[in-house]
Amino acid sequence: MWSSFWRSRDRFSLDELRYLIDQLQKVQIVNNDNKNFVIEALRSISELITYGDQHDSNYFDFFMERQVMGEFVRILKVSGTVSISLQLLQTMSIMIQNLKSERAIYYMINNEHINILITYSFDFRNEELLSHYISFLRAISGKLDKNTISLLVKTQNEEVVSFPLYVEAIRFASNEDSMIRTAVRALTLNVYHVGDESVNRFVVKTPQADYFSNLITFFQKQCIYLNGLVSETLKNPNSHTTTAIVNAVDEIEDNLYYISDVISAGISDVGRLITDNILQLLIFPLLLPSLQLDAVNDIQIGASTSLYLLCCILRIVKIKDLANTIAASLFCPPEAFVSDSETTLKGYVPDHGHETQLTENKNVIEVDGCSNNIMPSLSSSSPVHPEDIISKGVSRLTLRDALLSYITAGDDLQVLSSLSMLTTLLQTKELDATMLDALGILPQRKQNKKLLLQALVGEDSREDQFFLSGRGFIRDGFSCELDGYLQNLKEQYGVSCSSLEVGTSPSVHRFHVLDALVTLFSRSNISPETLWDGGWLLRQLLLYSEAEFNNQHLELLRDLYKNCTSALLEEARGTWPDLLVTVLCDEWKRCKRAMEAPSPRKELKCMFLPLDKPSFDDVLPSESSFVAGERMCKVVKVFVLLHQLQIFSLGRALPEQPPTCPPSKIPENSRAGNAGLDVSGPKLGSELRLVDAVPCRIAFERGKVRHFFFLAISVGASGWILLAEELPLKKHYGIICVVAPLAKSDPAIDQKYSRWLHLQIRPSTLPFLDPAKFITHGKAKTKAPVDGRWTLAFMDDESCKSALSMTLEEIDLQSNEVEKRLKPLLNHEGAIDVPDTSTHPPEASSSTATPSNSL
């Protein structure tokens, strides 16, 4: 019988379909003898039905007439091999995916055998079988609409009581295989977006509603896993953990985008379930408690990871109640979200042996039975600092206090995380303006818009507020909104907020934020890029004026600018003066783009990328020119930020380029002019006049001494040390053989051999100024750039002193030119006076070098 299967026939014909079905119906049991035939028959039937759906309806008519779906179920039951189950599921998936005829689709879904296949007890220990099964379910979900979905459910009194497709699929929602999880989520979205009311009610009933809590529980595990990776990378940075962090971040954000897609289906009860589960399973027990400054040992997640996750949730999961509840929670102390076993939440907490308890009067606290009124200290001119509150007896600092404390005292990652949180809150459209004002981060443009609107509608003659103060909403404006969410926190989630900040004017909160940002700019241990993020936030909060700064702020900013200006001028006589103006112009444009951008950073994952800093096999000493280059770039970036903030505070637009002088022309009597060099500088192999050149000897390799003419030359902000060989047929002319940077050469005559001149030779450029050639994230360690050291031998002491004098003179000319080009930038209107600088270079410091080549 089986040999006749292989006889020659038209493969795509109704006769072929009839033959296959006839032979399949004769199979009573599937064994090794007929297994291959059954597999091939199932595969061929799917091809023929797909072909017939597009070319001839008789194919599917015959398929229905012979009750082939029933035959599929029968074959499955009489088969004991996984290969038959695999092929059957693949056959069903192919047919369902490719059928276009509405009649055919209705038949396949309406048939009772489809639910039998869905609920069949397959052996899912076989991963391939599970993958085919999920593909089969997903194929069905792709055909769902308001008409077809009713064919897959069972109803009772117009309520859905059974929906096997959905129930079986969500069993695998947390499977280890990401492809299976993705397929299940696609299926659920297909179900939610149908918009069938009875199905929507079914999915939010118990036990189906557990899917949403399981989803958040699975997400919680991913968050804890990410935190472990971040902690490991902080202790031991390497390419493997960085790659793992990027992958974990991508998966976390994918999960949140899935949640966002679920919400977009518009099922109100689903939105409520997701909000409650995110708050009760993730934010309240895990994320918010981790923000406390003195984290307890059993906190499962770090503050920076927690802030990253909160930012992700606010940016991706756009639910108004969720966003406003998170914002309102910032007015609560972190202890309010910790279990009773760790802290008492009934009005007081332990505080180093003292008991601090709130009385009925919210302005009065009790410390060891003594009442203290603390509210008079809360005013716009006298901000409340955490240490001030503690000294007055209040032990429960709010989460908002913690955010600001991280900015003023945290490490770089904590600062960046806190700034990202404030920025995210500021940009969250689901947050009401009154909530932003209560937090002290309402942008001035929104604040003025609100006050102007109030003035136009004539609300209690409040137009005076707009025209006179412009400092924020009145207390009643945000009290109702904030108090409503705080009340909801207490009633629905059992979180009681006894914070004194709730009764504080928004202008005080705004002042706290400004105070923290100004303090941030004075922190030398924070990366410039993070300071730029702080500058961006400060610009959003202020108008083009200094009106909201107090005298302390203005004095601190001026001192910072003065110190940074002095540091910049030191760099003009430092290791990299030839690159200083170029770097400053480049960083000016970068900072301007950052300050004027819609947001500081587009991707939240950038928060963790600084953890993967370039690493080298060797530890670089502080005297290394590479370290000096990094320091120079940091000084420039901070100076540019402070300078642009000053221009911004004066009400001016930032120019595209910093106001610097153009390069000076080469004086005719200069060494560069005498040597015949132009502004492009020397080139290897080019000819020059050996005016003022001093003959010397040097060995770049052991035992190979070479004779050169030594010449130090500066052209504008650039300078070089040249070694040239005299042309035998052209007297007083030579060919440039060696070119080295003049800056930071630190010339010094040997104390023992007065004819020897020692020079430090740094690289010609900084590798990180060219990102394409520098180390990128995830690459292995490389050799650190090192400085060289030359020892040149001259004919006599006078020649050696002449070379020393020439080098110092050209270094001084080079530094003077850099200072001249910077002068317009440092003398802009409103800036501090430029400090006086010495006309001589600072005392040289030793640096790491290659072995010297003495003669």
Side-chain angles (χ1 to χ4, degrees):
M1 177 182 71
W2 312 124
S3 61
S4 62
F5 176 74
W6 305 108
R7 67 187 179 184
S8 177
R9 274 189 312 274
D10 183 2
R11 183 179 179 186
F12 291 98
S13 67
L14 195 57
D15 288 339
E16 177 72 5
L17 179 62
R18 181 180 293 107
Y19 171 78
L20 291 172
I21 293 174
D22 287 343
Q23 297 301 320
L24 198 63
Q25 289 178 334
K26 295 177 182 179
V27 176
Q28 299 302 314
I29 188 170
V30 180
N31 51 38
N32 289 333
D33 294 333
N34 60 12
K35 178 179 65 175
N36 291 335
F37 163 75
V38 173
I39 292 174
E40 184 62 25
L42 292 172
R43 186 188 63 78
S44 298
I45 287 174
S46 66
E47 292 180 351
L48 286 167
I49 295 302
T50 302
Y51 171 82
D53 184 67
Q54 300 175 11
H55 298 88
D56 187 349
S57 61
N58 290 324
Y59 283 73
F60 201 80
D61 290 340
F62 186 76
F63 181 86
M64 292 188 294
E65 179 185 334
R66 298 294 295 271
Q67 296 289 313
V68 179
M69 286 287 289
E71 286 301 315
F72 286 171
V73 173
R74 185 183 66 83
I75 289 295
L76 181 63
K77 292 180 177 179
V78 299
S79 168
T81 61
V82 173
S83 57
I84 298 298
S85 299
L86 286 171
Q87 184 57 58
L88 180 60
L89 290 172
Q90 187 177 31
T91 294
M92 293 298 299
S93 298
I94 291 172
M95 287 195 299
I96 293 172
Q97 285 176 350
N98 292 282
L99 288 176
K100 306 296 182 184
S101 167
E102 186 174 324
R103 184 172 68 98
I105 294 173
Y106 267 67
Y107 173 79
M108 295 293 291
I109 294 180
N110 192 35
N111 198 298
E112 61 178 3
H113 299 297
I114 198 76
N115 275 337
I116 294 177
L117 291 175
I118 291 173
T119 57
Y120 188 80
S121 298
F122 292 102
D123 184 5
F124 292 127
R125 290 174 298 180
N126 185 299
E127 294 180 359
E128 186 180 5
L129 181 61
L130 176 58
S131 178
H132 279 71
Y133 174 74
I134 296 298
S135 296
F136 163 61
L137 299 185
R138 183 176 180 178
I140 299 173
S141 72
K143 301 297 181 181
L144 294 179
D145 57 31
K146 288 191 174 182
N147 295 320
T148 57
I149 198 169
S150 61
L151 306 176
L152 291 169
V153 301
K154 292 183 179 180
T155 60
Q156 185 176 343
N157 297 327
E158 297 184 353
E159 291 293 325
V160 175
V161 295
S162 175
F163 190 5
L165 175 67
Y166 180 80
V167 172
E168 294 299 321
I170 61 177
R171 288 173 51 203
F172 305 98
S174 301
N175 191 273
E176 295 180 356
D177 190 335
S178 61
M179 297 297 291
I180 290 177
R181 294 198 304 271
T182 300
V184 171
R185 291 176 180 181
L187 182 151
T188 58
L189 290 176
N190 288 336
V191 171
Y192 302 148
H193 281 277
V194 168
D196 186 280
E197 293 296 331
S198 60
V199 172
N200 291 347
R201 290 192 295 270
F202 174 80
V203 299
V204 296
K205 290 180 180 178
T206 305
Q208 293 78 235
D210 292 342
Y211 168 68
F212 300 104
S213 60
N214 294 337
L215 178 67
I216 304 305
T217 300
F218 179 77
F219 183 72
Q220 181 194 70
K221 295 177 181 178
Q222 290 181 312
C223 297
I224 295 174
Y225 173 69
L226 172 64
N227 181 73
L229 293 175
V230 172
S231 300
E232 182 180 351
T233 305
L234 286 172
K235 296 176 183 177
N236 183 29
N238 61 74
S239 59
H240 300 294
T241 54
T242 302
T243 301
I245 284 177
V246 173
N247 294 335
V249 163
D250 288 341
E251 189 165 359
I252 281 174
E253 293 184 3
D254 286 344
N255 289 335
L256 289 174
Y257 278 114
Y258 165 69
I259 293 173
S260 177
D261 290 339
V262 172
I263 294 167
S264 68
I267 307 174
S268 58
D269 288 339
V270 169
R272 176 185 54 78
L273 278 174
I274 289 177
T275 298
D276 289 347
N277 281 300
I278 289 178
L279 290 172
Q280 297 189 63
L281 299 179
L282 182 65
I283 293 179
F284 290 162
L286 186 65
L287 302 188
L288 295 183
S290 68
L291 301 183
Q292 55 188 317
L293 298 178
D294 298 322
V296 293
N297 293 331
D298 59 347
I299 292 296
Q300 295 179 292
I301 199 166
S304 297
T305 308
S306 175
L307 289 171
Y308 159 77
L309 293 167
L310 287 169
C311 289
C312 281
I313 292 170
L314 287 169
R315 291 190 184 190
I316 299 174
V317 185
K318 299 185 180 300
I319 302 177
K320 181 176 181 179
D321 284 346
L322 177 62
N324 282 277
T325 300
I326 293 174
S329 300
L330 298 180
F331 289 94
C332 300
E335 294 87 352
F337 304 98
V338 181
S339 63
D340 290 339
S341 61
E342 298 172 14
T343 185
T344 304
L345 301 178
K346 297 181 180 179
Y348 67 90
V349 292
D351 181 28
H352 304 291
H354 299 283
E355 212 174 61
T356 304
Q357 186 168 352
L358 292 174
T359 65
E360 293 181 0
N361 184 348
K362 290 192 289 187
N363 297 344
V364 179
I365 60 171
E366 290 185 3
V367 182
D368 291 342
C370 300
S371 298
N372 295 279
N373 193 314
I374 63 171
M375 285 305 292
S377 66
L378 303 178
S379 65
S380 59
S381 60
S382 179
V384 179
H385 298 284
E387 58 271 19
D388 297 332
I389 299 179
I390 292 176
S391 67
K392 293 179 182 295
V394 181
S395 63
R396 303 180 74 182
L397 300 181
T398 67
L399 295 172
R400 181 182 168 280
D401 293 327
L403 286 179
L404 299 183
S405 295
Y406 284 132
I407 292 175
T408 57
D411 58 34
D412 195 272
L413 182 57
Q414 291 172 334
V415 172
L416 180 57
S417 303
S418 296
L419 290 174
S420 297
M421 182 64 180
L422 293 176
T423 299
T424 300
L425 288 167
L426 184 148
Q427 295 184 311
T428 300
K429 295 181 180 179
E430 289 71 30
L431 281 180
D432 292 323
T434 49
M435 186 68 76
L436 292 178
D437 202 28
L439 290 169
I441 56 173
L442 181 67
Q444 277 285 7
R445 66 183 187 278
K446 292 185 178 180
Q447 197 171 135
N448 289 343
K449 180 180 178 181
K450 177 70 174 180
L451 291 171
L452 179 60
L453 179 61
Q454 291 177 343
L456 291 175
V457 299
E459 293 184 5
D460 300 330
S461 301
R462 293 172 188 164
E463 56 271 18
D464 290 342
Q465 293 183 32
F466 176 74
F467 296 108
L468 294 178
S469 66
R471 286 185 172 269
F473 301 142
I474 60 170
R475 167 70 190 132
D476 293 340
F478 74 88
S479 175
C480 181
E481 186 74 27
L482 176 59
D483 290 349
Y485 281 102
L486 291 175
Q487 186 67 22
N488 186 63
L489 277 172
K490 181 177 181 180
E491 294 178 354
Q492 186 170 350
Y493 304 107
V495 176
S496 179
C497 177
S498 56
S499 170
L500 299 169
E501 286 200 358
V502 176
T504 308
S505 168
S507 61
V508 174
H509 294 164
R510 185 180 184 80
F511 187 87
H512 292 170
V513 177
L514 297 179
D515 188 64
L517 292 176
V518 173
T519 303
L520 170 64
F521 299 142
S522 66
R523 300 190 58 195
S524 60
N525 61 333
I526 302 301
S527 67
E529 290 76 14
T530 301
L531 296 180
W532 284 7
D533 287 346
W536 181 93
L537 181 59
L538 181 66
R539 184 177 182 187
Q540 301 301 308
L541 299 180
L542 294 180
L543 285 169
Y544 287 98
S545 71
E546 299 175 341
E548 299 206 31
F549 286 133
N550 64 8
N551 291 333
Q552 290 180 340
H553 291 159
L554 294 174
E555 183 178 351
L556 178 57
L557 286 175
R558 292 191 184 103
D559 288 344
L560 290 174
Y561 184 81
K562 182 176 181 179
N563 294 337
C564 202
T565 300
S566 299
L568 186 71
L569 289 174
E570 288 180 9
E571 294 298 333
R573 297 187 174 275
T575 306
W576 298 93
D578 47 339
L579 296 182
L580 184 60
V581 176
T582 301
V583 171
L584 191 145
C585 291
D586 291 341
E587 296 300 336
W588 181 279
K589 291 184 287 187
R590 290 183 62 240
C591 186
K592 182 177 184 294
R593 287 196 300 268
M595 292 283 283
E596 296 176 347
S599 60
R601 302 191 185 191
K602 292 184 178 179
E603 295 188 9
L604 285 171
K605 69 178 67 176
C606 294
M607 190 182 296
F608 296 123
L609 292 184
L611 299 177
D612 183 26
K613 296 180 180 178
S615 55
F616 303 101
D617 289 331
D618 306 316
V619 177
L620 295 176
S622 59
E623 300 85 2
S624 165
S625 64
F626 185 85
V627 175
E630 289 184 320
R631 182 176 60 249
M632 181 267 291
C633 289
K634 181 175 181 179
V635 168
V636 169
K637 290 176 180 178
V638 176
F639 171 81
V640 166
L641 170 65
L642 295 175
H643 191 95
Q644 292 191 4
L645 285 176
Q646 283 208 12
I647 294 177
F648 171 69
S649 67
L650 293 173
R652 297 177 179 175
L654 296 176
E656 293 296 328
Q657 294 284 351
T660 58
C661 281
S664 301
K665 295 181 179 180
I666 300 177
E668 293 183 0
N669 60 347
S670 66
R671 288 191 176 88
N674 294 335
L677 297 180
D678 55 22
V679 292
S680 63
K683 297 178 178 59
L684 288 175
S686 62
E687 186 178 294
L688 84 164
R689 291 191 293 270
L690 298 178
V691 180
D692 294 335
V694 184
C696 66
R697 293 174 296 161
I698 188 172
F700 291 110
E701 297 179 49
R702 184 178 295 275
K704 295 183 179 180
V705 179
R706 299 181 64 181
H707 294 261
F708 293 106
F709 278 83
F710 173 87
L711 193 62
I713 287 179
S714 65
V715 178
S718 301
W720 305 271
I721 293 173
L722 306 180
L723 299 181
E725 289 184 339
E726 187 176 21
L727 291 172
L729 301 180
K730 198 172 182 180
K731 195 173 182 180
H732 302 304
Y733 281 83
I735 296 295
I736 300 175
C737 298
V738 181
V739 179
L742 174 65
K744 200 54 179 178
S745 54
D746 292 340
I749 296 177
D750 190 273
Q751 295 181 357
K752 185 176 182 181
Y753 302 100
S754 58
R755 293 181 300 163
W756 288 10
L757 181 66
H758 298 294
L759 297 174
Q760 299 287 345
I761 305 299
R762 43 139 259 223
S764 59
T765 187
L766 290 167
F768 52 79
L769 295 181
D770 186 357
K773 298 180 181 179
F774 194 47
I775 300 173
T776 56
H777 295 289
K779 289 192 176 181
K781 292 182 178 181
T782 59
K783 287 291 183 181
V786 295
D787 299 332
R789 179 180 299 167
W790 290 358
T791 299
L792 301 107
F794 293 88
M795 297 177 60
D796 50 42
D797 293 354
E798 290 302 319
S799 297
C800 188
K801 291 179 181 178
S802 176
L804 172 65
S805 176
M806 180 197 314
T807 306
L808 292 175
E809 182 180 342
E810 294 299 318
I811 289 175
D812 195 53
L813 290 173
Q814 180 185 14
S815 297
N816 289 341
E817 172 66 16
V818 175
E819 291 176 351
K820 177 183 176 182
R821 295 193 62 185
L822 293 176
K823 190 173 182 180
L825 180 68
L826 305 181
N827 286 335
H828 79 96
E829 183 180 348
I832 63 165
D833 294 331
V834 182
D836 293 333
T837 57
S838 173
T839 57
H840 299 287
E843 185 175 343
S845 59
S846 60
S847 59
T848 302
T850 56
S852 61
N853 297 284
S854 59
L855 298 175

